[in-house]
Amino acid sequence: MTNRPATTPMPPVRRAAGLFAGLALGLAVLAGCSSQGASTDCGVDACTVTFDRGVDARTTILGIEAKLVGAEGDQVTVEVAGEQLTLTTGQQAAEAGGFAVTLDSVTDQQVKVRVARNPGN
């Protein structure tokens, strides 16, 4: 038989402080995104960016800038982390600055791109 000391519940002040710290961290992650002519849907390690065509579309996600350079047919040129990539729908992910970038879809009005951190980077 092992004797263990009785545990006492965490005081309400410490519990509230922990909750507040968690909320603050979550808001800081969300505040790290800014956009112009684009909308984002981000998780911890990846974002889906929907760029509006015909405008200067750019966003800051995951600590990097991503922008739409041009689109013609099903081929799109984006700049991610300072590197230009030409992508087509269905193509395997291209790498830029430690991120995997894929083209999800292209329409007359929008371009949807997924940017994910590469594991190990």
Side-chain angles (χ1 to χ4, degrees):
M1 178 189 241
T2 304
N3 288 331
R4 293 188 180 147
T7 58
T8 58
M10 187 183 302
V13 172
R14 286 189 65 197
R15 191 175 314 137
L19 178 62
F20 178 74
L23 289 172
L25 178 63
L27 289 174
V29 168
L30 293 176
C33 297
S34 64
S35 298
Q36 174 183 323
S39 61
T40 60
D41 180 16
C42 291
V44 175
D45 289 329
C47 290
T48 298
V49 181
T50 304
F51 293 106
D52 296 333
R53 289 182 67 168
V55 299
D56 181 23
R58 63 184 65 224
T59 187
T60 301
I61 52 166
L62 304 171
I64 58 165
E65 182 177 72
K67 68 181 178 178
L68 179 63
V69 175
E72 189 172 320
D74 69 343
Q75 198 170 56
V76 173
T77 302
V78 293
E79 185 175 306
V80 175
E83 296 182 40
Q84 278 200 5
L85 305 169
T86 300
L87 308 169
T88 55
T89 307
Q91 170 187 340
Q92 286 188 337
E95 185 171 333
F99 292 86
V101 184
T102 54
L103 176 61
D104 287 348
S105 64
V106 181
T107 68
D108 290 342
Q109 283 94 31
Q110 297 179 324
V111 172
K112 189 178 285 191
V113 175
R114 186 174 194 295
V115 179
R117 291 186 202 274
N118 274 334
N121 286 336

